[in-house]
Amino acid sequence: MAQILFAVAALLATVGAWAQGVAYTVAIDAPKPLAELLRNNLDLERWRGNPRLDRDQLQRLVKGAPEQVQTLVATEGYYSPTVEATLDTSGAQPVARITVQPGEPVLVGDVDLELRGFASAEANNSPFDAGALRTAWALPRGRVFRQPDWEAAKRALLRQVIATRYPRAQLVDTSATVDPEAHRANLRVVIDSGPEARFGGLRIEGLKRYPETVVTNLNTIKPGEEYSEAALQVLQGRLQDTGYFSSVEVTADMSSVMQEQVATLEEQQTAPAPVPLPSTATLPILIRVTENKYRNVSAGLGYSTNTGNRATLQYDDLSVFGLRMKSNLTLETRRQVARADFYYPTKPGGYNDSFGGGMERNDLNGEITTTATVQAKRAWGTPQLERSVQLELLTERKIIDGLPASRAKSLPFTYNITKRELDNLLLPNKGYALNVQLGGAPLPVLTDRVFLRGALRFIDYRPLSARATLILRGEAGAVASKGKDGIPSTYLFRAGGDQSVRGYGYQELGVRVGDAITGGRYLLAGSAEIDYWLKPQYGVAVFYDAGNAGDVFRELKPRAGYGVGARWRSPVGPINVDAAYGQAIHKWRLHFSLGFTF
């Protein structure tokens, strides 16, 4: 009986040990990037805690670890590592120890980039810039040969080609020949352009309530133009901005190319002489839309370091006497706005006409302004070059601490132009944006003070390296008039805040009147910032801002602010958090901002 009980107990112990598996730890001694790679991919890590793993299987995992380590670190460019794997059973719990000495990395040697095709079907077309394609190759000679970088470079090359003229380009041969002893990798990439593509006509799907002119009036792509992915994106963005559609998809109809090629191949089978494949493809533009609801209501809460707590309510109606209405109510700690605008359908030539009006109250730095406006506006252009003209009638009531209230009315006209040359409109890293405003109220019609006004803003992005970007900003403005009284505060200048001189409050820099800060006739401000990206989405920044506003240009005394910040490339644009020191006021201030202002 005792022998039976002993056998049962031994069996239960064995089953219990099998159910629990072997508990062990993994110790990796390797440079930090490689250690992280191994920690995430080694079988020794993946099998930890598995109840089916016994001691013999653990030994086999340790024995096979060096080969797996060599395969993994080779993806980071280390093809001759020294790897040692042991199982330490001296303690209460086994420890699998992995030691890696990566050795010298393999560097990129010769890069053979062969382009096939790329000949234009029309003699007057400019040749494809093969030199620029080779210059933009992302894995040049002397760079560490990492497998992820190799794959990314091939994708980027293909992406650059298919974005313009050759959407059916493909990689027909790629190879990386690695010589571990020489620590060298020779690369070869062969890319075939396929047929040159040009745009055809429009095909529109999904319209029910609206006429096709809602779409066609926004289209600036003419049949026969060279294929450009950017042109399709611009058209899609313009359609989305109308508010008529809840979803918009603009693509080139590649199926037409396939059908044309199939027809040519069928003709080749029956024709007595060879029939050449077409060298140019015509791609119709396919536009799929889903019409929006007639009415939309949205509300939100937020906070701004410029104007404080925020509550918003928006109401859009797509059919108010045939016009689109957009209205909003914004309640902030230092600013309140109520406004409604009415938009006509886009006219041929891309002209967008609108009219509207509203009320706005601002309580900033001891000055309280209440403004009522009615305006008419025409806007046209593209995201790369936007233009508008605006005629506005406004009345303003202004209260400055300790002074009687004053009123002003004005009928200013403004011409606005914005030029953008950016590699990415949402998350720019290279290029510039420039905005110029010219206007004023030159005639004494419904105007208390005749004036002329000009303002300029620019921002310039200059890559310093693969991770660092220099950002330069500038702003200048001037108002010409015999006096300042009677000019609405909206058309005067102040500085300070998230998008101006950091380290100071929103519009804190200007002309002092008693204890209040008011707008001045002149503005000059600038900024230099360096962003360094620790990872593709996250970075840090250092910056120096300076500027001021005043009534006499020669007496403008710049106020400086400088500090550090954090950056996040979010899906909706760059989000910035800055800690800035205002040198003139000897105080630190925290700033939050999203994107850039133009």
Side-chain angles (χ1 to χ4, degrees), residues 181-227:
E181 294 183 358
H183 304 286
R184 183 184 179 93
N186 295 326
L187 310 182
R188 173 173 167 78
V189 178
V190 181
I191 184 169
D192 187 281
S193 67
E196 185 181 30
R198 295 185 174 274
F199 285 120
L202 293 184
R203 289 175 47 199
I204 305 171
E205 299 178 0
L207 286 176
K208 297 177 181 178
R209 300 193 301 263
Y210 305 117
E212 286 194 353
T213 53
V214 169
V215 174
T216 57
N217 287 347
L218 285 168
N219 177 40
T220 59
I221 303 173
K222 295 180 174 57
E225 286 186 1
E226 285 183 356
Y227 171 85

Side-chain angles (χ1 to χ4, degrees), residues 96 100 116 122 163 196 215 241 277 304 344 365 406 420 451:
V100 182
R116 295 179 183 174
E122 298 186 14
E196 185 181 30
V215 174
D241 290 342
L277 288 171
S304 167
Y344 289 90
N365 305 300
S406 62
R420 300 181 181 92
F451 70 93

Side-chain angles (χ1 to χ4, degrees), residues 305-306 457 459 473-475 495-502 504 506 525 527 545 574 576 578 591-598:
T305 50
N306 281 340
R457 293 181 297 162
I459 186 167
R473 289 189 295 111
E475 190 172 6
D498 304 340
Q499 299 285 349
S500 181
V501 183
R502 287 162 287 190
Y504 302 87
Y506 178 56
S527 169
D545 300 345
N576 311 319
D578 295 318
H591 295 273
F592 297 91
S593 62
L594 171 62
F596 58 95
T597 56
F598 63 98

Side-chain angles (χ1 to χ4, degrees), residues 487-542:
I487 300 177
S489 299
T490 303
Y491 289 89
L492 297 174
F493 300 103
R494 300 193 203 190
D498 304 340
Q499 299 285 349
S500 181
V501 183
R502 287 162 287 190
Y504 302 87
Y506 178 56
Q507 297 192 356
E508 186 180 1
L509 301 177
V511 179
R512 182 169 290 279
V513 178
D515 294 331
I517 301 296
T518 65
R521 295 169 61 183
Y522 300 98
L523 168 69
L524 192 62
S527 169
E529 174 177 316
I530 294 178
D531 290 356
Y532 185 82
W533 297 97
L534 305 171
K535 292 186 176 182
Q537 274 77 36
Y538 301 99
V540 294
V542 294

Side-chain angles (χ1 to χ4, degrees), residues 45-90:
E45 290 284 1
R46 186 166 57 88
W47 279 86
R48 285 181 61 195
N50 193 307
R52 294 176 178 268
L53 184 72
D54 58 26
R55 192 172 293 269
D56 289 339
Q57 291 171 320
L58 176 59
Q59 290 280 10
R60 285 194 291 272
L61 288 176
V62 173
K63 185 178 180 180
E67 182 178 353
Q68 189 181 16
V69 169
Q70 289 177 347
T71 301
L72 290 170
V73 300
T75 65
E76 295 296 308
Y78 300 95
Y79 282 77
S80 303
T82 301
V83 183
E84 183 180 354
T86 60
L87 183 62
D88 183 358
T89 58
S90 60

